[in-house]
Amino acid sequence: MRDVGIYNVARAMPRMSWAPRNLYNLWQRTAGPRSSEIVFTKAESTLFQQRWRSKAMVRAYHGDYIPEKIFKRWYLPDNLPDVRPKKVVMGDDKTMLEEFAKRKKKEEDYERDEKRRGMAPVGSLMLGEIERRIDTVVFRACFAHSIYEARRLVVHGDVLLNGKRHQDPNTRLAPGDMISVNPEAIRFLNGRSKEFPDNVNASHPKKEDLTPFHLPYYAAPWLFVPAYIETNYNTCSAIYVRHPTARPGYSEIPTPYDADGEVIRFAWEWYVKRRPRIRSKTRLERMPLDRAFNPEEMELEKQRARERKAAARRAANVSGMILN
């Protein structure tokens, strides 16, 4: 754990945890006295400050244990729309004005279509790579009471990946991968600790035939399993079925913030402008293990990009010849 003050009440940063103090911080940010700090409808801060604050809030919950440089290089999807301004010729004011007018028109058309038929919250999909991590899947499957305990289970060898011990918590799973957790390492399944006194099966007439399940206090807000994970508590295993998706009005990625709200949108805009572009062979060798990565597809995409640049260059040369 990099920061010992992750549950600091003064900062009120929600984390992936069932801790009561974290639940209080979540209440502060959603319905409590500090909820107005992330509402930018009538904010006096600049756009840069709003984006930076949104990025800080999103990163505190999604992968706060991942260094920012590594997150931007390896955990941002390549298919995010690019909102960075295009390069223009210096002094060509007419081209700049035309591009600005087209861009404003596209933004108005997008907002009109969004209100008319609803648009999928694609901004939340930038966190899909975090949800593929093996430690995140262990936490989402409710085998650990925090993401930090899930990482400890992986590092200590209590998690099997497709039947083999796997001790790298940075691994990103591929659809169809199965993880299995050692039942003796799951604290709320054996009920040894006083932190987990609530026996869910106490009132069941045949509780001896059921899997013991001792919940910690205030665990109800976190008791859900995303749709892309199939869990079996009899065998303490889970299958990563597919990648998270989004549809109009709904996103499968669990987050304490509105999937199509200002916080996610501003964080998305922050990273779209600042994500690194170059992934050389030397850097690819240092990439965290991605079981769904296909280098042939990446080479094909690079070839297509080169062809698009060559076509644009030829079109520019032809237009220059016509103008002359």
Side-chain angles (χ1 to χ4, degrees):
M1 188 182 304
R2 295 190 301 119
D3 187 2
V4 295
I6 55 174
Y7 302 132
N8 192 319
V9 176
R11 296 170 62 189
M13 294 283 194
R15 315 282 178 167
M16 289 188 188
S17 173
W18 293 2
R21 291 179 64 185
N22 184 59
L23 183 61
Y24 177 72
N25 291 336
L26 178 63
W27 170 80
Q28 286 194 90
R29 287 294 180 182
T30 54
R34 307 199 59 174
S35 59
S36 59
E37 296 181 7
I38 54 176
V39 178
F40 305 116
T41 306
K42 298 181 180 180
E44 297 180 357
S45 55
T46 63
L47 183 59
F48 177 87
Q49 293 172 335
Q50 295 174 18
R51 288 174 176 172
W52 191 92
R53 188 178 303 171
S54 301
K55 182 267 300 185
M57 297 300 301
V58 170
R59 286 282 284 116
Y61 183 82
H62 297 277
D64 63 318
Y65 44 86
I66 303 175
E68 185 70 9
K69 184 177 181 180
I70 296 178
F71 176 83
K72 289 192 295 185
R73 182 165 299 281
W74 302 118
Y75 292 97
L76 286 178
D78 297 331
N79 55 358
L80 280 178
D82 197 346
V83 297
R84 289 181 291 191
K86 298 181 180 180
K87 293 182 179 180
V88 296
V89 180
M90 296 299 296
D92 191 359
D93 296 339
K94 181 178 179 181
T95 304
M96 295 175 62
L97 290 174
E98 289 178 353
E99 289 294 326
F100 177 77
K102 292 179 182 178
R103 185 161 58 250
K104 294 298 291 183
K105 186 177 184 302
K106 289 180 181 179
E107 291 177 358
E108 293 175 358
D109 294 342
Y110 180 85
E111 293 177 356
R112 191 181 306 111
D113 292 341
E114 184 180 15
K115 292 180 180 179
R116 180 174 58 87
R117 61 183 180 181
M119 305 291 284
V122 294
S124 62
L125 296 181
M126 71 173 179
L127 307 169
E129 295 296 311
I130 298 294
E131 297 298 317
R132 290 177 51 203
R133 289 172 56 98
I134 186 172
D135 52 359
T136 306
V137 173
V138 171
F139 172 72
R140 295 298 187 197
C142 297
F143 290 131
H145 79 289
S146 68
I147 188 64
Y148 314 107
E149 184 179 7
R151 288 173 59 81
R152 179 182 61 80
L153 293 177
V154 177
V155 172
H156 289 187
D158 291 319
V159 177
L160 303 180
L161 175 58
N162 296 332
K164 297 181 180 180
R165 179 176 295 181
H166 192 83
Q167 295 180 267
D168 184 6
N170 301 314
T171 300
R172 283 170 284 177
L173 302 181
D177 284 342
M178 183 181 71
I179 62 169
S180 303
V181 184
N182 183 9
E184 297 181 357
I186 303 177
R187 289 194 285 170
F188 50 80
L189 285 184
N190 50 46
R192 296 177 182 176
S193 175
K194 295 182 180 179
E195 299 180 58
F196 306 90
D198 187 10
N199 187 359
V200 179
N201 304 326
S203 59
H204 198 277
K206 297 182 180 179
K207 61 181 181 180
E208 295 81 6
D209 300 334
L210 301 177
T211 303
F213 204 79
H214 301 268
L215 283 178
Y217 291 121
Y218 309 109
W222 313 97
L223 287 179
F224 62 92
V225 179
Y228 50 86
I229 299 176
E230 290 289 341
T231 308
N232 189 333
Y233 291 102
N234 293 325
T235 59
C236 296
S237 60
I239 298 177
Y240 181 76
V241 181
R242 53 179 172 78
H243 298 323
T245 60
R247 61 176 184 267
Y250 174 74
S251 176
E252 291 184 341
I253 296 181
T255 179
Y257 312 105
D258 185 4
D260 201 25
E262 291 180 327
V263 176
I264 297 294
R265 286 190 179 188
F266 283 156
W268 176 29
E269 293 175 2
W270 173 278
Y271 282 117
V272 165
K273 285 191 173 184
R274 290 164 178 82
R275 57 178 173 169
R277 272 290 184 262
I278 301 175
R279 288 185 177 179
S280 61
K281 292 183 178 180
T282 305
R283 287 175 176 169
L284 285 174
E285 293 177 355
R286 299 196 296 265
M287 180 180 68
L289 179 60
D290 184 359
R291 293 177 51 79
F293 175 72
N294 188 357
E296 296 181 358
E297 293 182 359
M298 187 171 183
E299 290 297 331
L300 182 60
E301 183 62 29
K302 288 183 178 180
Q303 182 179 356
R304 291 173 180 172
R306 288 193 294 266
E307 293 175 355
R308 288 194 296 266
K309 289 182 179 179
R313 195 179 300 111
R314 289 194 298 268
N317 293 336
V318 171
S319 61
M321 293 173 60
I322 295 176
L323 290 176
N324 293 333

